Amino acid sequence: MRTSPVVSLSTLAAAFALTAGLCLVPACEGDPNDPMTWAKQIKNLRTQKEALDHLANMDVEKARPAVPALIELFKDTKRPEHLEALARYLDPRTKPIMIEALDYTEDDFDRATIAAGALGDMKDPEAVPPLIKAAEKELPVKSRANNARIAAMRALVKIGDRRAVPTLMKILTTSADEQDFLLNQKAALGLAEFRDPQSIPALIKGLFMTGRGTGIFQECRLALVRIGGPAVDPVIALLNEKNPDIQEMAAKLKFEAPPPDGTPGVVPHKAAIILGDLRAKKAVPALVARLHMKARGDEHRSALIALGYIATPQAVEAILADLKDPKADPAERASAADALYLSGDRRAVPTLLEVAKSGYVTSGGQKASDLRASSAIALARIAGKETYEPFAAVFDKERDARGVFELALARMNVAKECDRDVVCYGKKLNDSQPERAEKAAFAIAFSGDAKKGLPILLSAMKPITTMVPDRYPVHQAILFALARLGSKDCKDCIEKLDKQIDRDEKAVRLPGARDLLGETRVTEAIIMNKGAGDVAEPAGEAPPPEEAAPAPAPKGSKAGKAKPAKPAKGKKKHK
C-alpha cells in the first residue's frame, strides 16, 4: 500500500515565510530587465549595491535611462564609486559634475582621476581649461595625487586640442626635483601625439633630462621624429652645439667633465641619433664635419650610424673613408662598418671584405682582430649570394676570430640559399639560429620589394614577452626592414605596429624591453613620415674590388689628395 509523503506544518510555514520575505524586497517589484526598476532602488541602502551591479551589467544604451538617478546619487554621496558608475555612459548630462570633480586635493583625488578619464573619452573641448588646471596642479614629488595629473594629461591628449601643448611643454621641462619624473615622461609621450613644432625646444631639452636614475630620451626622441621635417634644422643646430639653452645646461651640469661625473660629447651624440632617425639628408654635411673634429665620447660613432641610415652617396663615401683610416679609433672604425651595412649600399662590400680579411688593429701592443670581426659581420648582413664564395675562402683561412667568422658564414649561407627570393627569406625569419633569421630580415630590407616583403615582415613580428633575448636582434632587424620598405600608405604596417606597441607597453619591466619598445615606436614614426617616393631602392650586386666606392681624403688631409685604390692584380684599372 502506497502512502502520501507527510509534510509537517512547521516546514510549510517556513517555506511560506521565505517566499513571502523575498517578495517583500522592493527590488522584486517591476521587470528586472528594465533599468528603471533598478534606478528606483539605488538610493535604498538595502538594495543599492544590487541595483548598481545590475545596471553595470546591462548594455550601456539599454541602461542609459538610469543616468539621471545615478547623477542624483552621486550628488548626494560624492563617492568615487558612484562617479565611476556614471563614467561609462559618457553622457553629456554628466559633464558638469565631471568638470566639478576635477577640483581635487592631495588627500582627495580619486574622483578627479575618474572624471578626467571620462572627459577625455567624451573629447569635449569645453573640458580643456579645467583639465589644464588639473594637470598643472603643483603637488609633492611622492604624492599619490599625481595620478590625477597623469589622468588629466592623458585626457588632454585624447581630446587633441592644441591649447594643451604649452601645458605639456611646461610639465616636460620641470625639474625632477620639483615633481614626479613620471609626469615628464607622460608629457613627452603626449607631445609625441600632438606633433606640434612649437614643442621642439622643450623636447630637445628633455633629451638631456634625468630623474631618479632614469631619462626620457626615448620619449623625446619619438616626439621629435614624429614632428619630422620641422625638427631637422633645430637638431642640426644642436649637433653643432649652437643651441644656447642646451649649452647653458651643459655648462651648469658639467656634461663635458670626465666620466663618471660627465659624458663628453653627449650633445652631438644624441643629436646625431635623432638626425639618423629623421633620415635628414640636409644634415649630411654637418655630420661629416663632426668626423673631422676631435672625438669626444661616442659622438663620432653615432654620427657614422646616422650617416648610414641617411645613406646618400656623400654619406657612404665619408663612412668608407673612416673605415679605411688607420689613424681612426678601432671602435669608431667598427661603427663605420655597421654604418655601411645600414646604408644598404653594396659598393661597400669590397671594402668590408678586405677589412675582414686583413684589417688587423693594435690593442695593448698586440695585433687584434676586433675590427676584422666587426667587418665580417657587417659584410654578412649586407652582402648577397655573389659574395659567398669570396667570403668562404677568407673563412677557410681564419684562425684568430673563428667563432665570429662562423656566425658571419651562417648569415652568408642564407644569401647563398635564397639569392633574391624574398619568399625564401621569409621562411628563414623563424630559423632557430638567430643569425640566420636576422640575415633574412636584412635581405628583405635590401630587396626593395615592399609588395612581397612587408606582409612577410609583419607576419613575423612577435610580442616581446614571447622572445628570448637572443631573438631581440632579429626583432630589431625586422623593424629596420619595415622602416626601409614601409611608407605611410602601408595601413597594415601602422595597424600591426600599433598592436605591437600596445602589447609591448605591458612588458617594459623585462630587461631590454623598454629600448625595444622605443625602437618600435620610432619605426612607426619613420614610416609615417615617408611617402611612396621615399622607399629605398633595392640594393644592387656588389662591384668587383676595384669598383668599390672611392674614399675621400683621410681625416686631417687636404681635399683631393687621397690616392685612388690600387686595382687588383691581373686586372686593368677602370677609368
Side-chain angles (χ1 to χ4, degrees):
M1 178 177 177
R2 299 178 63 186
T3 59
S4 300
V6 178
V7 180
S8 68
L9 289 176
S10 60
T11 301
L12 287 171
F16 178 79
L18 177 62
T19 304
L22 286 172
C23 291
L24 287 174
V25 176
C28 283
E29 299 175 3
D31 182 357
N33 293 316
D34 183 351
M36 297 310 296
T37 298
W38 304 107
K40 295 173 184 177
Q41 309 304 322
I42 58 178
K43 286 193 176 182
N44 186 323
L45 293 179
R46 290 177 57 200
T47 59
Q48 185 179 90
K49 184 179 185 307
E50 182 184 6
L52 290 171
D53 287 345
H54 274 277
L55 290 171
N57 288 327
M58 282 186 185
D59 177 77
V60 168
E61 290 307 315
K62 183 176 181 181
R64 194 173 295 280
V67 166
L70 291 168
I71 290 174
E72 291 304 314
L73 175 66
F74 174 72
K75 286 181 176 180
D76 287 346
T77 68
K78 301 295 184 183
R79 292 172 63 176
E81 59 267 33
H82 294 159
L83 187 64
E84 193 165 19
L86 273 169
R88 78 185 188 111
Y89 295 94
L90 304 180
D91 195 297
R93 293 170 289 180
T94 68
K95 186 170 65 176
I97 63 173
M98 294 293 178
I99 289 176
E100 182 182 355
L102 290 175
D103 187 9
Y104 66 99
T105 67
E106 185 183 347
D107 299 318
D108 186 10
F109 58 87
D110 288 336
R111 290 189 301 272
T113 304
I114 295 165
L119 290 166
D121 289 336
M122 288 182 192
K123 297 185 177 179
D124 191 329
E126 188 179 335
V128 170
L131 283 167
I132 286 175
K133 183 179 178 181
E136 291 185 352
K137 191 177 186 70
E138 293 184 5
L139 295 167
V141 172
K142 295 184 179 180
S143 173
R144 290 178 60 245
N146 282 309
N147 288 328
R149 294 187 67 186
I150 291 172
M153 285 195 292
R154 188 179 293 117
L156 288 167
V157 172
K158 283 185 177 180
I159 294 171
D161 192 307
R162 293 190 183 277
R163 286 177 291 172
V165 171
T167 289
L168 295 176
M169 291 168 60
K170 178 182 177 182
I171 294 170
L172 170 62
T173 54
T174 298
S175 168
D177 294 333
E178 300 174 33
Q179 69 179 21
D180 183 348
F181 199 61
L182 182 61
L183 294 165
N184 302 66
Q185 181 194 59
K186 298 300 182 183
L189 288 174
L191 290 170
E193 295 298 321
F194 278 102
R195 300 171 168 83
D196 193 323
Q198 71 171 303
S199 65
I200 291 172
L203 292 164
I204 286 176
K205 182 178 180 181
L207 294 172
F208 304 95
M209 294 182 69
T210 58
R212 280 166 286 287
T214 188
I216 51 174
F217 173 78
Q218 290 287 5
E219 291 78 11
C220 294
R221 171 194 178 198
L222 171 66
L224 288 166
V225 177
R226 281 189 173 176
I227 290 170
V232 171
D233 283 340
V235 181
I236 291 175
L238 182 69
L239 176 77
N240 291 331
E241 299 177 279
K242 292 183 178 179
N243 182 309
D245 293 335
I246 300 305
Q247 291 309 110
E248 182 180 347
M249 179 192 289
K252 181 180 178 181
L253 300 179
K254 299 180 180 179
F255 286 0
E256 293 301 316
D261 298 322
T263 311
V266 67
V267 172
H269 162 66
K270 290 187 175 181
I273 292 172
I274 306 300
L275 291 168
D277 291 332
L278 290 167
R279 306 301 194 260
K281 295 179 181 179
K282 186 177 182 180
V284 169
L287 289 164
V288 173
R290 297 307 300 187
L291 298 178
H292 292 267
M293 301 178 188
K294 183 179 179 181
R296 295 171 297 158
D298 288 333
E299 64 168 324
H300 279 197
R301 299 176 70 181
S302 54
L304 286 162
I305 297 300
L307 290 167
Y309 281 126
I310 299 168
T312 62
Q314 182 189 3
V316 174
E317 289 164 8
I319 300 166
L320 279 164
D322 204 284
L323 178 59
K324 293 177 178 181
D325 185 359
K327 296 180 180 179
D329 177 73
E332 180 180 322
R333 295 176 71 189
S335 292
D338 288 340
L340 287 172
Y341 86 73
L342 291 170
S343 75
D345 191 330
R346 286 191 176 150
R347 294 180 303 158
V349 167
T351 300
L352 287 169
L353 182 61
E354 180 57 33
V355 177
K357 181 179 179 181
S358 57
Y360 289 96
V361 294
T362 302
S363 177
Q366 295 185 344
K367 190 168 69 171
S369 294
D370 295 8
L371 178 60
R372 295 180 55 245
S374 297
S375 296
I377 295 297
L379 171 69
R381 285 171 171 159
I382 190 176
K385 178 182 178 181
E386 67 277 3
T387 311
Y388 177 82
E389 292 298 338
F391 182 76
V394 173
F395 172 76
D396 288 341
K397 298 177 181 178
E398 180 58 36
R399 298 294 179 267
D400 298 326
R402 186 79 177 178
V404 176
F405 275 69
E406 189 170 355
L407 295 176
L409 187 65
R411 291 174 169 90
M412 291 298 303
N413 265 308
V414 176
K416 180 184 179 184
E417 293 165 18
C418 292
D419 194 12
R420 301 188 182 192
D421 187 343
V422 172
V423 175
C424 175
Y425 285 117
K427 294 176 182 177
K428 306 292 185 184
L429 288 173
N430 292 316
D431 196 285
S432 60
Q433 191 172 350
E435 293 78 18
R436 287 171 56 84
E438 179 208 69
K439 171 61 180 180
F442 282 122
I444 294 171
F446 299 136
S447 72
D449 192 340
K451 185 176 180 180
K452 285 184 181 178
L454 287 173
I456 291 170
L457 293 164
L458 293 172
S459 65
M461 293 184 71
K462 297 178 175 61
I464 291 176
T465 52
T466 66
M467 296 181 218
V468 296
D470 284 350
R471 303 294 294 191
Y472 286 3
V474 179
H475 182 69
Q476 289 177 312
I478 290 173
L479 293 175
F480 170 82
L482 288 170
R484 190 172 172 93
L485 295 179
S487 72
K488 60 186 176 184
D489 298 325
C490 178
K491 306 303 181 186
D492 289 342
C493 296
I494 306 304
E495 181 180 343
K496 180 71 174 182
L497 287 167
D498 278 340
K499 290 180 180 178
Q500 182 82 20
I501 290 165
D502 287 342
R503 291 181 298 188
D504 290 352
E505 282 177 337
K506 301 175 179 65
V508 291
R509 294 186 181 277
L510 295 174
R514 187 183 177 198
D515 287 340
L516 277 183
L517 172 62
E519 294 303 321
T520 306
R521 285 171 168 162
V522 169
T523 296
E524 183 181 48
I526 292 169
I527 290 172
M528 292 176 72
N529 284 341
K530 290 170 59 182
D534 298 321
V535 175
E537 295 291 329
E541 290 187 5
E546 69 271 17
E547 294 182 2
K555 290 183 285 186
S557 65
K558 295 182 179 179
K561 293 294 184 180
K563 294 182 180 180
K566 292 182 180 180
K569 290 181 179 180
K571 292 194 177 183
K572 294 182 180 179
K573 180 178 176 180
H574 288 249
K575 293 182 180 180

